[in-house]
Amino acid sequence: MTSRNEPQPDADLPARVSTLELFFDLVFVFTITQLTSMLAEHVTPAAAGRVLLIFGLLWWMYSAYVWLTNTRTPSRVPERLLLLLGMVGFLIIGLSIPHAFGGDGERGRDGLAFGLGYLLVVAVHSGLYLRVNRNIWRILPFNLGSALLLVIAGLTPSPAAYGLWGAALALQVFASLFVRLAGRFEIQPEHFVERHGSLLIVAFGESVADVGIGAGGQRVTVSLALSAALGLALTASLWWAFFGTADDDRAARSLARADRAERPRLVLAAYFYAYIPMLLGIVAIAAGLKTAIGHPGATLTAGPAVALAGGVTLFLIGDVLFRWVLRTGIPWYRAAAAAAALAAWPVATAVDAAAGIALLTAIVAAALVIEQATVKA
């Protein structure tokens, strides 16, 4: 007899990512673009800290929805409507991000909206997941606790509100580290890999859109066109690092070979933790490019230069961790490129923006060329 708490077999196990899931990802990436705008406006340690807090909270719940749709395709009308309601929650969160935090002694103008939007996201996710796997009860208290802390933070002036935000994130980190997942959640490798690959593609596309936003209202000069083209080349080099070397295909094979009870741990390590620096890297690069394209021919200040170089470093570090966890390739050349990109940021403050972007692109491209030559040899 099967325990009522064990995952149940279902005819709706996902084979491919549905169009509704892609629609969901577009709404989620809107929140990522809001983080890019926040960082581009003020490239400071304080802004970076706020971005990290918000991203950590959003990434946890986005991943929770991926695990949900990996369990069963949202094919029934009630499920689709509820998933759309969850998207409304993410949309409210995205709209509230720019003013979610207040100054000293003030509460964020939209902090309460953020908390309520997050509570809606958690409530919809919990209701949907309970229909397919009651093991979500093991994580639900952490999610609900985080949401309630954010609602309270929205009513609390700074700096106390920051403590509540930090506590909300800490609850989720605690859940990911101490809640046993093996044997309680079923992973469909092909769907999981395709879903996260699609997310990266959308995130890359939004970073290119930020290039266009940075150039908005300016005359298209040779300097502007060159900077924009190089910005696209930098984004394309990172796309090539992940997709051009078939890391996603190798990842699918690696997960398929793994023991079914081991897959949740591998997925958490590769598609949750390793993706964090990759996505934060895209946010930082987009923020740096937005500033660089907005001032073509000028020399970047320290903040945007660090955002660009640090973003490339973060993405490559995430890629290295991803490869190491799933054993999908030799990560050492990319690790060297990550270190070289970080070391290049002082150079980016001494040359014009186009030259700095070109240097970072060359570092990534060189690592990929050497890696491929080594593999063929």
Side-chain angles (χ1 to χ4, degrees):
M1 182 179 295
T2 303
S3 168
R4 68 185 296 226
N5 286 331
E6 292 303 314
Q8 302 298 310
D10 198 303
D12 291 329
L13 288 177
R16 299 294 303 272
V17 174
S18 67
T19 54
L20 182 56
E21 291 171 84
L22 296 177
F23 189 15
F24 186 98
D25 288 355
L26 287 171
V27 176
F28 172 72
V29 171
F30 167 64
T31 68
I32 299 297
T33 61
Q34 291 287 73
L35 294 180
T36 296
S37 298
M38 175 187 287
L39 189 60
E41 185 177 352
H42 301 290
V43 186
T44 63
R50 288 191 287 269
V51 166
L52 287 173
L53 269 177
I54 295 174
F55 176 82
L57 292 161
L58 295 182
W59 181 236
W60 174 261
M61 282 313 301
Y62 171 81
S63 297
Y65 273 86
V66 173
W67 283 59
L68 166 67
T69 54
N70 186 258
T71 302
R72 189 166 79 188
T73 299
S75 57
R76 296 170 174 81
V77 171
E79 292 171 339
R80 290 177 173 178
L81 291 175
L82 283 171
L83 201 59
L84 287 168
L85 185 59
M87 290 163 60
V88 171
F90 272 112
L91 182 62
I92 292 170
I93 289 170
L95 292 171
S96 64
I97 282 175
H99 302 289
F101 295 94
D104 290 339
E106 300 176 348
R107 66 182 181 90
R109 189 179 77 193
D110 295 328
L112 180 59
F114 187 104
L116 293 174
Y118 201 86
L119 183 59
L120 176 60
V121 166
V122 169
V124 170
H125 173 265
S126 301
L128 281 169
Y129 222 133
L130 283 170
R131 294 163 58 91
V132 295
N133 185 349
R134 291 189 177 275
N135 282 305
I136 192 62
W137 278 113
R138 300 174 184 276
I139 300 176
L140 192 154
F142 297 95
N143 294 345
L144 184 59
S146 291
L148 293 176
L149 284 171
L150 290 174
V151 171
I152 297 171
L155 300 170
T156 305
S158 296
Y162 283 94
L164 292 168
W165 280 75
L169 182 57
L171 265 182
Q172 297 174 344
V173 172
F174 184 88
S176 69
L177 292 176
F178 295 102
V179 174
R180 184 174 175 269
L181 301 177
R184 305 186 188 280
F185 296 90
E186 186 70 24
I187 299 297
Q188 313 302 323
E190 292 286 347
H191 177 272
F192 219 94
V193 172
E194 183 183 353
R195 180 71 184 273
H196 284 81
S198 299
L199 175 66
L200 271 189
I201 289 293
V202 175
F204 278 136
E206 289 297 334
S207 71
V208 174
D210 279 323
V211 170
I213 293 171
Q218 298 189 58
R219 184 166 171 264
V220 183
T221 62
V222 172
S223 178
L224 176 63
L226 178 61
S227 296
L230 287 170
L232 176 60
L234 177 59
T235 303
S237 69
L238 297 176
W239 169 87
W240 203 299
F242 192 84
F243 294 100
T245 54
D247 278 6
D248 53 339
D249 293 335
R250 293 175 185 148
R253 291 194 294 270
S254 179
L255 285 176
R257 289 193 302 266
D259 183 83
R260 297 169 76 92
E262 183 69 6
R263 286 176 189 169
R265 184 193 66 81
L266 289 174
V267 161
L268 190 63
Y271 285 100
F272 182 75
Y273 287 113
Y275 256 60
I276 289 174
M278 282 196 277
L279 288 171
L280 284 175
I282 293 173
V283 169
I285 291 167
L289 287 176
K290 199 171 183 180
T291 303
I293 305 304
H295 304 84
T299 301
L300 290 176
T301 57
V306 169
L308 273 173
V312 173
T313 298
L314 281 172
F315 185 90
L316 292 175
I317 286 174
D319 193 23
V320 167
L321 291 174
F322 181 87
R323 289 180 144 221
W324 179 71
V325 168
L326 295 178
R327 298 186 176 91
T328 57
I330 304 170
W332 311 119
Y333 298 107
R334 299 174 188 223
L342 186 60
W345 81 262
V347 178
T349 62
V351 298
D352 65 60
I357 298 170
L359 174 61
L360 291 170
T361 305
I363 289 172
V364 178
L368 296 179
V369 169
I370 295 171
E371 180 181 277
Q372 289 302 305
T374 303
V375 170
K376 291 178 180 179

